Amino acid sequence: MITRSTDVNSVRKLLQKMSPPFALVPTMGALHEGHLELIRKARQKVGSSGTVIVSIFVNPIQFDKASDLENYPQPLSTDLALCERAGADLAFTPPKESLYHADHSVLIRESLLTKHLCGATRPGHFDGVLTVVLKLFNIFQPNYAIFGQKDFQQLALIQRMARDLNLSTTVIGHPTVRAPDGLALSSRNTHLTASERADAPRIHRALCAARDISHTGEQNPSIYLEVARKHLLMNPLESFTIDYLELVDAETLQPTPSVTKPSFLATACFYGKVRLIDHIVIPS
Ligand code: PAF
């Protein structure tokens, strides 16, 4: 039976009665198969006697648009049932007031890996992500924390934060989970209309088409970007727009001048107001 807590002090007390090692899966709820895989991975890391914690918190300070925050799905009772079924021991579901003082004024900011991709198009977003993740790490002191590789920039930033701030949590990335038609699973997919949902696998297809030219030994980034852009914009729906399409070095997340090292070809696209991200590894 899963235990639920909504308060920082009481969850700390609860934790003292639970057995280490601890694995944390931070989420914003609206759980799908991708999240459930993270929970299963957490269980694998701590074994049957360890403790798997899932936090469900729609973190207001990481939203750059008020409408995005207002529309974020919050099916809490379904989420709790899914957490339990996937093997979580403890669900932390705090209200905003429990995590943030009304006059909170400290933020974590990263200044290099955030220069491109979502960091450039969603100002302040990653300050909010890093701040809440550090708070969760401080509350739970988990041995492991599991994040999806779909959000590879977020994962890289959290790993960098753990390194640069000497955190003792091991940050683990788990591969992107996709629908059978290739669309990366995301809580935002439920906001697509039926025709947008049917069209959305074009994002993964476009990235795959570009990745496939790496077999020719092509090193010019603009060729990869052109191929992906051509596929993204081939007979698009009216509501479809590209937020960014970038080819970045897989380690530094800076635009790559030549594909001589593994790189990420990454995009964020809109269907109306619904923003979807995806990426693919371009081998060197
Ligand atoms: O990836 C998410 O769902 C969120 O950004 C996270 C890591 C739970 C922080 O709010």
Side-chain angles (χ1 to χ4, degrees):
M1 182 75 178
I2 194 164
T3 306
R4 180 180 170 203
S5 176
T6 58
D7 171 75
V8 174
N9 290 329
S10 28
V11 84
R12 279 187 159 141
K13 282 191 194 125
L14 270 174
L15 215 58
Q16 285 168 5
K17 294 188 201 126
M18 299 182 136
S19 36
F22 299 111
L24 173 68
V25 181
T27 80
M28 298 208 298
L31 304 183
H32 51 67
E33 186 53 32
H35 295 110
L36 303 187
E37 283 214 359
L38 304 184
I39 299 173
R40 291 184 205 115
K41 173 80 162 209
R43 172 59 64 204
Q44 235 180 37
K45 294 305 292 183
V46 298
S48 54
S49 58
T51 300
V52 173
I53 306 153
V54 179
S55 63
I56 299 177
F57 179 63
V58 181
N59 176 32
I61 69 164
Q62 72 183 73
F63 284 81
D64 46 331
K65 290 198 180 93
S67 59
D68 198 14
L69 173 60
E70 277 155 29
N71 294 329
Y72 206 85
Q74 299 196 46
L76 186 57
S77 46
T78 313
D79 283 347
L80 290 171
L82 288 170
C83 285
E84 177 158 328
R85 223 175 302 151
D89 301 297
L90 175 61
F92 180 52
T93 61
K96 181 183 165 203
E97 304 69 45
S98 173
L99 269 194
Y100 292 112
H101 291 277
D103 62 347
H104 73 94
S105 54
V106 175
L107 283 177
I108 300 294
R109 173 159 300 162
E110 195 280 345
S111 55
L112 183 63
L113 306 184
T114 45
K115 282 196 187 306
H116 293 274
L117 311 162
C118 296
T121 61
R122 300 186 69 190
H125 167 65
F126 286 123
D127 299 357
V129 171
L130 292 179
T131 302
V132 80
V133 169
L134 184 59
K135 284 163 76 68
L136 294 168
F137 282 12
N138 282 334
I139 294 167
F140 294 104
Q141 307 275 317
N143 301 84
Y144 306 101
I146 325 286
F147 297 86
Q149 286 170 355
K150 177 168 91 70
D151 299 299
F152 72 94
Q153 190 175 22
Q154 167 174 284
L155 175 63
L157 287 164
I158 294 167
Q159 281 167 333
R160 178 66 65 109
M161 174 173 76
R163 185 197 78 174
D164 285 1
L165 301 186
N166 303 98
L167 307 181
S168 55
T169 301
T170 303
V171 177
I172 296 172
H174 188 73
T176 304
V177 180
R178 297 184 180 279
D181 61 11
L183 179 64
L185 296 191
S186 162
S187 306
R188 294 167 194 271
N189 293 352
T190 54
H191 288 312
L192 298 170
T193 64
S195 55
E196 288 168 346
R197 174 62 191 82
D199 186 74
R202 77 162 55 235
I203 300 172
H204 182 55
R205 279 200 307 272
L207 297 176
C208 289
R211 186 266 325 269
D212 287 348
I213 55 172
S214 68
H215 300 309
T216 64
E218 181 60 62
Q219 293 189 347
N220 183 349
S222 49
I223 303 288
Y224 290 93
L225 293 165
E226 260 169 45
V227 170
R229 187 174 297 278
K230 191 185 97 198
H231 280 80
L232 283 173
L233 295 178
M234 204 183 287
N235 306 317
L237 292 186
E238 216 172 285
S239 63
F240 182 83
T241 50
I242 300 174
D243 184 25
Y244 67 73
L245 175 66
E246 288 193 68
L247 187 66
V248 296
D249 181 285
E251 253 174 56
T252 64
L253 304 194
Q254 309 305 308
T256 180
S258 170
V259 187
T260 49
K261 287 202 293 171
S263 310
F264 289 137
L265 178 62
T267 189
C269 300
F270 282 105
Y271 283 95
K273 289 187 174 147
V274 184
R275 187 172 180 279
L276 304 180
I277 59 170
D278 203 352
H279 72 283
I280 202 161
V281 177
I282 308 290
S284 52

